[in-house]
Amino acid sequence: MDTDTHRIEGMSETKPTVIGDRVWIGSKATILKGVTIGEGAVVAAGSLVSKDVAPYALVAGVPAKPIRENVSWEI
């Protein structure tokens, strides 16, 4: 969900959030507005993503930080 239903004076407007193809987002992860998550990336459960995530990267933590590059996963 991306919304600014209740506007607060001085706060920025809604920015697009882009999620690439084949992205795995773990349970209860939060992705802030304006963030782009690259193709094939993995966001660990409970992470707070406040910056762009490179394609095929694994990020985790609060705030989310890169843990591994060039990851691949299968269903």
Side-chain angles (χ1 to χ4, degrees):
M1 174 172 55
D2 175 19
T3 182
D4 285 334
T5 303
H6 302 288
R7 293 188 182 180
I8 298 173
E9 190 173 321
M11 298 294 288
S12 62
E13 295 291 321
T14 297
K15 298 177 186 174
T17 300
V18 179
I19 300 175
D21 292 334
R22 296 185 41 80
V23 170
W24 182 4
I25 300 174
S27 173
K28 297 186 180 181
T30 301
I31 301 167
L32 300 182
K33 64 183 175 181
V35 170
T36 296
I37 300 181
E39 178 180 352
V42 177
V43 177
S47 295
L48 173 63
V49 184
S50 59
K51 295 182 180 177
D52 290 350
V53 177
Y56 304 101
L58 165 64
V59 297
V62 178
K65 295 186 181 197
I67 303 297
R68 193 172 288 172
E69 295 178 355
N70 299 317
V71 298
S72 63
W73 58 274
E74 295 179 22
I75 294 177

